[in-house]
């Protein structure tokens, strides 16, 4: 299956979403290249960036599930790097 490199940017405004977010990321852990989290204490939010190499449908599904969490905003940027599988 073809895979694509992407970055999912996440802003967590409600700490109550953290457990569900971590569970979703754990489910996709085989595709995650790296993760960077920045707590922005002054504003009371967390900024997370996920680098992922996965099939297009996996990336879209993960981003959609994350975006449906209460108090969470997400955007996905796709690269043109596609690996034939």
């Amino acid at each position: 299956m073809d895979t694509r490199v992407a970055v999912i940017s996440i802003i967590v405004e409600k700490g109550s979403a953290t457990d569900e977010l971590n569970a979703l990321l754990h489910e996709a852990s085989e595709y995650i290249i790296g993760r960077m989290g920045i707590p922005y204490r002054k504003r009371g939010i967390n900024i997370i960036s996920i680098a992922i190499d996965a099939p297009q449908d996996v990336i879209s599904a993960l981003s959609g599930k994350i975006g449906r969490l209460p108090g969470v905003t997400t955007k996905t940027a796709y690269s043109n790097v596609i690996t034939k599988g």
Side-chain angles (χ1 to χ4, degrees), residues 4-77:
R4 192 166 190 181
V5 176
V7 176
I8 302 174
S9 300
I10 306 163
I11 297 177
V12 181
E13 298 171 355
K14 293 186 179 178
S16 58
T18 304
D19 287 341
E20 288 179 84
L21 175 60
N22 284 330
L24 290 172
L25 295 176
H26 180 72
E27 289 175 18
S29 63
E30 67 182 281
Y31 302 110
I32 293 175
I33 302 165
R35 171 181 174 170
M36 177 180 63
I38 303 169
Y40 190 9
R41 290 179 185 88
K42 180 178 178 182
R43 300 284 186 207
I45 63 174
N46 291 294
I47 303 161
I48 302 168
S49 180
I50 306 293
I52 189 167
D53 186 358
Q56 175 80 38
D57 60 335
V58 171
I59 297 169
S60 296
L62 177 60
S63 183
K65 289 175 186 177
I66 292 170
R68 286 191 292 277
L69 294 174
V72 176
T73 304
T74 184
K75 290 284 185 180
T76 303

Side-chain angles (χ1 to χ4, degrees), residues 1-5 53-54 56 78-85:
M1 181 174 282
D2 295 354
T3 65
R4 192 166 190 181
V5 176
D53 186 358
Q56 175 80 38
Y78 294 92
S79 77
N80 292 320
V81 177
I82 299 172
T83 303
K84 300 289 182 187

